Amino acid sequence: RPDLKLIITSATIDPDSFARYFGSEEQPAPVVQVSGRSYPVDILYRPPATGIDQQESIGRALEELPNRGDVLVFLPGERDIRETAKALDKRVGAGTQILPLFGRLSSAEQQRIFHPGGGARRVVLATNVAETSITVPGIRYVIDTGLARISRDSYRSKVQRLPIEPISQASANQRAGRCGRVAAGICIRLYEEEDFEQRE
């Protein structure tokens, strides 16, 4: 099938390994790069101190960020989102909206993230669905816990599990890229840089 064209696209792909796989070492498949509009993103590493829980770490990271522009916080699951929303509600002022985003929310509640805050700063608490599936508009800053619920099949017990695991480097970079779309952004990772370097 010389007429068959297979196009593989991704913002975080390793093009060289794909080009060699679909071609050969001597003649790799062609790679076409299309640069999108993106702004610089500063990556800050803020691992939590001993005895500091996740909600406190997120609160401190939020206070470190400039007070203008919306924030996207990546959390592993619904329970974490609910607990963090409750903790941040007590911590932030009236000029900030806390907006949870997870699958079991009603459609109307999910749609709230797509509407401007009317001058209020928005802090969107989301699972990894906001990493690639949904683009939350107006995000200037990202706080990344570095965790996600990953679907795993257990062949022995024939059960699908959803354990919380550290995300890959590609996922972390995808998350950071969410805050470089409208202006220069800041991504705060709540883990060590060495931890990031050792991830898959």
Side-chain angles (χ1 to χ4, degrees), residues 2 24 49 54 64 86 95 109-110 123 126 134 158 167 180-181:
S24 65
Q54 184 171 269
E64 184 179 345
K86 217 178 279 184
E109 288 175 308
Q110 289 184 24
V123 178
I134 294 174
K158 308 264 192 290
I167 58 171
R181 298 186 172 215

Side-chain angles (χ1 to χ4, degrees), residues 131-146:
E131 195 177 297
T132 54
S133 305
I134 294 174
T135 299
V136 182
I139 297 300
R140 290 282 304 274
Y141 311 108
V142 164
I143 298 173
D144 180 12
T145 60

Side-chain angles (χ1 to χ4, degrees), residues 24-161:
S24 65
E25 287 289 336
E26 299 79 33
Q27 189 173 3
V31 174
V32 178
Q33 289 191 337
V34 180
S35 58
R37 186 186 70 192
S38 62
Y39 296 90
V41 175
D42 291 331
I43 307 288
L44 307 176
Y45 291 89
R46 299 291 185 264
T50 308
I52 302 296
D53 64 10
Q54 184 171 269
Q55 283 82 29
E56 179 63 21
S57 296
I58 292 168
R60 289 181 180 189
L62 195 58
E63 288 165 359
E64 184 179 345
L65 293 169
N67 203 16
R68 61 191 186 284
D70 296 343
V71 183
L72 176 59
V73 182
F74 284 99
L75 291 149
E78 177 182 340
R79 180 178 170 193
D80 302 279
I81 289 173
R82 288 186 188 279
E83 289 173 357
T84 303
K86 217 178 279 184
L88 290 180
D89 266 336
K90 296 173 186 169
R91 190 171 191 139
V92 298
T96 302
Q97 284 183 328
I98 306 297
L99 300 171
L101 176 64
F102 51 87
R104 291 192 336 154
L105 279 176
S106 71
S107 179
E109 288 175 308
Q110 289 184 24
Q111 288 300 315
R112 289 175 59 205
I113 68 159
F114 297 109
H115 303 296
R121 180 187 207 187
R122 300 180 316 146
V123 178
V124 178
L125 308 175
T127 61
N128 57 344
V129 70
E131 195 177 297
T132 54
S133 305
I134 294 174
T135 299
V136 182
I139 297 300
R140 290 282 304 274
Y141 311 108
V142 164
I143 298 173
D144 180 12
T145 60
L147 301 169
R149 281 199 181 276
I150 310 292
S151 178
R152 299 284 182 213
D153 289 324
S154 175
Y155 295 107
R156 288 184 182 170
S157 60
K158 308 264 192 290
V159 172
Q160 185 181 24
R161 301 177 304 118

